[in-house]
């Protein structure tokens, strides 16, 4: 195979911008060319990574307010002149003035509360979606790279100690797994710039990544989407650890494995494994 | 929904302003992000976005409802940037259009095989989620490549929308995106090599 796909076609493939004919031709080529398939996958990963890295700068909180004021500038000016004209004839009693002030205060408080709640929930859901994308990307990259794990062992007594000094927390791994679930090894990785254990399991022929990270106050389990790009996601947490399992295996089997790992944290707490 | 031109002028000033706010304000974070990447500092980015909003508001009566507002306002931002202090400075130091030797015709740009990197150690960096390395690589892109990759990957705009926003043919969008990605990969490779040398 000498005529590889040009870079612009591989880029457009990652962007979903090829016409039906171009896509058919590209797919045909990719089915016979591992080199181009690898590059196409790299383009997709790069696209996803630049998408995240590019979201870098946010406007200052008061900029939105200043900008809105400026947009409404003309209307506000008109409103002011109207009010100024009416001012000499206004006779507002002191109690009426207080009532207006209190109403305005309550109104402002209400607006602030609604805005705060909305921002908080929007920020939370965006963060959860970003986390789901990141863990799926890591899982896909692991599948695509097909490289050997940093620690290869099916023995939990080998895998767990390997993380000593690499993570700011410790964890336990479950014993007596069903016969078709095997521990393949583990990697040290980073999710949202925080050190994370990536435990690699197989359930039958399906590969599973289980990410264990130190739990923070802002992140608990159960907020993540349960599915992303065809992969099932199961999250669990203990008082110290946040765990996220991702795989294309049946959701019930994934939940079963996640449940066993979750249980191992409490059952074996205090027991060296 | 299409509105006839004489009906569009019926929109009252107040309702026009609120209509504009409804469409433009949700785009503030995206516009600011692009403005900051291009101008490289917060003050210039704020000025750029502010000017964009005011220009867009003034020209909102000419905007055809139902057409692509996002592409329209990004185009205003881009044109405002080109005439801004930082935009003019960038224009003096980097070439923008024809000097790139771009193909303005639609369709794939043929690249020599050597231009495609088939050994990709930089993927290790991406896999590790090294955001700083990627941001470094993106900072090295000249503005024409940076803006196209931000619109495509961050704003997830289609090539057609990007072409509209940047006022360039789709073929040029396609080739610039491929060039931008190749440049990012090269910059990451350089980082990997540098890190290796330090480790040796």
């Amino acid at each position: 195979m000498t005529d590889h796909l040009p870079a612009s076609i591989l880029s457009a493939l990652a962007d979903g911008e090829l016409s039906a004919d171009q896509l058919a031709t590209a797919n045909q080529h990719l089915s016979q060319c591992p080199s181009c398939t690898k590059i196409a996958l790299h383009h997709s990963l790069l696209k996803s990574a630049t998408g995240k890295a590019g979201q870098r700068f946010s406007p200052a909180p008061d900029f939105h307010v200043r900008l809105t004021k400026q947009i409404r500038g003309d209307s506000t000016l008109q409103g002011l002149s109207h009010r100024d004209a009416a001012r000499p004839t206004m006779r507002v009693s002191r109690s009426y003035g207080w009532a207006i002030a209190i109403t305005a205060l309550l109104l402002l408080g209400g607006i602030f509360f609604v805005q705060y709640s909305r921002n908080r929930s929007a920020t939370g859901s965006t963060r959860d979606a970003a986390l789901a994308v990141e863990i799926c990307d890591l899982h896909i990259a692991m599948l695509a790279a097909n490289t050997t794990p940093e620690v290869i062992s099916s023995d939990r007594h080998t895998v767990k100690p390997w993380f000593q000094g690499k993570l700011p927390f410790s964890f336990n791994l479950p014993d007596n797994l069903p016969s078709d679930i095997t521990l393949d090894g583990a990697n040290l990785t980073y999710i949202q710039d925080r050190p994370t254990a990536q435990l690699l399991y197989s359930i039958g022929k399906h590969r599973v990544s289980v990410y264990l990270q130190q739990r923070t106050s802002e992140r608990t389990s159960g907020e993540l989407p349960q599915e992303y790009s065809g992969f099932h996601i199961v999250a669990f947490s203990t008082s110290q650890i946040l765990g996220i399992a991702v795989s294309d295996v049946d959701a019930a089997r994934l939940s079963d494995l996640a449940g066993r790992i979750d249980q191992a944290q409490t059952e074996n707490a205090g027991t060296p494994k | 929904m299409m509105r006839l031109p004489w009906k569009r002028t019926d929109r009252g000033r107040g309702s026009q302003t609120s209509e504009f706010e409804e469409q433009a304000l949700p785009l503030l974070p995206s516009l600011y992000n692009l403005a900051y990447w291009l101008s490289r500092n917060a003050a210039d980015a704020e000025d750029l976005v502010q000017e964009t909003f005011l220009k867009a508001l003034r020209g909102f009566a000419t905007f055809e409802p139902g057409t692509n507002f996002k592409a329209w306002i990004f185009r205003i931002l881009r044109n405002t940037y080109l005439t801004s202090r930082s935009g003019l400075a960038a224009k003096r130091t980097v070439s923008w259009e024809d000097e790139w030797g771009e193909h303005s015709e639609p369709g794939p740009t043929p690249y020599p095989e050597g231009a495609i990197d088939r050994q990709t150690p930089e993927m290790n960096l991406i896999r590790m989620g090294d955001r700083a390395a990627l941001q470094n690589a993106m900072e090295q892109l000249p503005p024409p490549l940076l803006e196209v990759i931000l619109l495509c990957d961050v704003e997830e705009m289609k090539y057609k929308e990007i072409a509209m926003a940047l006022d360039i043919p789709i073929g040029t969008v396609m080739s610039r995106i491929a060039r931008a990605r190749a440049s990012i990969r090269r910059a990451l490779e350089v980082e990997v090599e540098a890190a290796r040398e330090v480790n040796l």
Side-chain angles (χ1 to χ4, degrees):
Chain A
M1 176 93 28
T2 50
D3 294 330
H4 290 298
L5 291 174
S8 55
I9 289 288
L10 289 165
S11 247
L13 179 70
D15 295 328
E17 290 277 357
L18 292 182
S19 66
D21 287 349
Q22 286 174 317
L23 187 62
T25 312
N27 278 337
Q28 195 182 0
H29 177 87
L30 291 176
S31 66
Q32 298 159 4
C33 178
S35 171
C36 281
T37 307
K38 188 176 154 195
I39 300 293
L41 182 68
H42 288 170
H43 270 275
S44 295
L45 289 174
L46 183 63
K47 177 183 170 65
S48 159
T50 35
K52 277 180 257 170
Q55 273 168 353
R56 187 179 183 185
F57 307 108
S58 305
D62 66 325
F63 184 50
H64 189 283
V65 180
R66 278 188 279 132
L67 199 62
T68 313
K69 265 187 196 166
Q70 198 146 17
I71 293 170
R72 293 177 187 163
D74 287 350
S75 323
T76 313
L77 276 177
Q78 281 169 13
L80 272 177
S81 55
H82 197 71
R83 225 169 29 235
D84 286 345
R87 192 173 289 155
T89 58
M90 278 174 76
R91 297 285 181 268
V92 181
S93 72
R94 182 169 290 198
S95 58
Y96 189 53
W98 275 110
I100 291 173
I102 291 167
T103 314
L105 207 63
L106 286 172
L107 198 65
L108 275 175
I111 291 170
F112 176 76
F113 179 74
V114 169
Q115 196 80 10
Y116 175 74
S117 315
R118 195 181 294 168
N119 285 349
R120 208 175 150 189
S121 86
T123 312
S125 59
T126 310
R127 207 169 43 216
D128 294 335
L131 179 63
V133 171
E134 191 169 351
I135 57 170
C136 284
D137 282 354
L138 274 173
H139 181 65
I140 294 166
M142 180 274 293
L143 295 174
N146 206 20
T147 48
T148 49
E150 290 173 274
V151 52
I152 317 169
S153 177
S154 58
D155 179 11
R156 65 201 172 103
H157 300 293
T158 305
V159 171
K160 184 187 162 184
W162 183 81
F163 284 100
Q164 285 179 95
K166 296 184 174 77
L167 293 171
F169 62 95
S170 184
F171 55 85
N172 292 313
L173 294 173
D175 201 0
N176 299 325
L177 292 169
S179 59
D180 64 337
I181 301 183
T182 51
L183 175 64
D184 300 326
N187 290 315
L188 174 67
T189 187
Y190 290 84
I191 293 178
Q192 296 186 333
D193 299 328
R194 293 171 51 216
T196 305
Q198 182 187 28
L199 306 170
L200 306 170
Y201 284 91
S202 292
I203 302 180
K205 288 186 177 174
H206 299 273
R207 307 290 302 279
V208 182
S209 290
V210 181
Y211 300 96
L212 298 180
Q213 194 177 64
Q214 196 168 31
R215 187 179 155 180
T216 60
S217 55
E218 63 185 32
R219 161 102 33 229
T220 54
S221 64
E223 302 155 344
L224 285 169
Q226 295 179 342
E227 203 170 317
Y228 178 80
S229 291
F231 290 95
H232 298 292
I233 299 171
V234 177
F236 58 91
S237 61
T238 65
S239 57
Q240 300 294 322
I241 294 170
L242 169 69
I244 302 167
V246 56
S247 176
D248 60 349
V249 75
D250 178 59
R253 305 277 343 251
L254 187 64
S255 294
D256 174 50
L257 175 61
R260 287 169 189 272
I261 297 171
D262 185 11
Q263 219 171 1
Q265 309 313 313
T266 45
E267 275 178 2
N268 300 330
T271 314
K273 294 284 165 190
Chain B
M1 187 183 72
M2 286 279 286
R3 292 189 71 163
L4 298 169
W6 58 88
K7 287 199 174 171
R8 264 191 279 136
T9 57
D10 286 348
R11 286 189 285 189
R13 190 184 180 82
S15 72
Q16 191 178 318
T17 307
S18 67
E19 236 181 280
F20 174 77
E21 279 181 26
E22 269 173 35
Q23 298 198 57
L25 286 176
L27 295 173
L28 173 61
S30 300
L31 289 163
Y32 181 84
N33 185 51
L34 179 64
Y36 200 127
W37 270 106
L38 292 173
S39 62
R40 316 257 162 150
N41 76 73
D44 285 355
E46 282 198 1
D47 287 349
L48 197 51
V49 172
Q50 198 167 312
E51 204 178 329
T52 300
F53 267 76
L54 293 178
K55 278 183 185 170
L57 177 61
R58 271 179 239 136
F60 191 53
T62 62
F63 172 70
E64 188 74 52
T67 58
N68 195 324
F69 181 80
K70 190 174 179 180
W72 182 74
I73 199 163
F74 267 92
R75 184 172 183 164
I76 295 173
L77 177 82
R78 199 260 188 163
N79 289 340
T80 307
Y81 167 71
L82 287 180
T83 53
S84 70
R85 198 177 32 159
S86 46
L88 289 170
K91 220 171 177 179
R92 276 196 296 274
T93 50
V94 288
S95 48
W96 274 77
E97 306 292 345
D98 295 334
E99 295 98 298
W100 289 83
E102 287 169 335
H103 297 251
S104 51
E105 301 82 24
T109 310
Y111 280 82
E113 178 53 27
I116 306 176
D117 170 31
R118 288 178 186 273
Q119 301 297 317
T120 53
E122 83 280 4
M123 292 315 297
N124 294 325
L125 277 177
I126 297 170
R127 201 158 49 224
M128 287 194 316
D130 193 338
R131 193 172 283 213
L134 261 172
Q135 286 170 346
N136 260 348
M138 288 167 78
E139 273 175 6
Q140 291 168 35
L141 290 176
L145 299 189
L146 178 62
E147 62 184 4
V148 86
I149 206 75
L150 288 170
L151 292 179
C152 180
D153 291 354
V154 179
E155 295 309 320
E156 296 181 343
M157 286 166 81
K158 306 300 287 178
Y159 285 3
K160 195 178 162 190
E161 294 176 302
I162 299 172
M164 205 187 294
L166 302 182
D167 197 18
I168 52 176
I170 288 185
T172 308
V173 172
M174 207 167 166
S175 63
R176 279 191 190 175
I177 289 172
R179 278 163 197 265
R181 289 195 178 131
S183 300
I184 291 172
R185 285 204 311 273
R186 274 196 298 275
L188 288 175
E189 268 177 16
V190 171
E191 289 213 21
V192 170
E193 285 305 318
R196 261 191 210 142
E197 278 170 22
V198 169
N199 289 334
L200 281 176

